[in-house]
Amino acid sequence: MTDAATLNATARVRQLTDLTTRLTDRLSEESRVFESHRPQDAAASMAATQDLANAYRRESAQVKANPASIAAAPAADRAALIRATEAFEAVLSRHARAVEAARTISEGLVRTIAAEVAGQRGSPSAYGASGKANAGDGRAVAFNRQA
């Protein structure tokens, strides 16, 4: 391999390692926030996390499609990338569990509120004794089972 190929591969591996580490740190922080039952604290950084995740997805897809692009990098740099990726996968799993728990709790709250509102309205009675339709409750509640 030429020196240029080695330099390019090394730069690529280090860039991907840095990207993976930054995404891992961000997901770790979001997991901590979700686990402390404060998902609203993660809202401000969600766009930046999504941008990092998209960059990671693109970069990792390029390396997967062309593994030779990093083959010339020193073994130590490739090993650092492997360690960063393993840490990322562990944090990603933790993050997925935390987000799923927050989603389940949020959906449960919405169902409870919707049931309470429906219960307070009483059962509908379509027609009164005069044969005319009874005036219903004019408030509307929409319930979507997705959070």
Side-chain angles (χ1 to χ4, degrees):
M1 289 274 158
T2 66
D3 287 337
T6 301
L7 288 175
N8 286 340
T10 302
R12 179 119 189 193
V13 167
R14 288 179 181 172
Q15 176 190 16
L16 190 52
T17 302
D18 179 61
L19 176 62
T20 304
T21 301
R22 287 186 298 138
L23 182 56
T24 300
D25 292 345
R26 187 171 290 279
L27 291 179
S28 182
E29 177 60 24
E30 284 184 7
S31 296
R32 187 190 63 73
V33 167
F34 283 122
E35 290 163 353
S36 66
H37 308 291
R38 299 206 36 89
Q40 67 276 14
D41 293 349
S45 67
M46 293 295 243
T49 301
Q50 188 63 45
D51 291 343
L52 276 175
N54 286 334
Y56 177 82
R57 180 188 51 78
R58 280 190 309 272
E59 293 296 322
S60 61
Q62 288 175 0
V63 169
K64 184 176 181 180
N66 184 13
S69 67
I70 64 168
D77 288 329
R78 290 194 318 261
L81 176 58
I82 290 169
R83 286 190 304 275
T85 302
E86 289 169 347
F88 168 70
E89 289 173 353
V91 168
L92 186 61
S93 177
R94 175 182 167 209
H95 187 267
R97 287 190 306 272
V99 168
E100 179 62 20
R103 184 190 62 80
T104 301
I105 291 168
S106 295
E107 286 180 357
L109 288 172
V110 169
R111 280 192 201 100
T112 301
I113 291 168
E116 181 66 24
V117 168
Q120 287 181 3
R121 287 185 176 177
S123 60
S125 155
Y127 296 97
S130 66
K132 293 183 178 182
N134 289 333
D137 186 345
R139 296 172 292 175
V141 173
F143 176 64
N144 182 347
R145 294 198 183 274
Q146 285 187 306

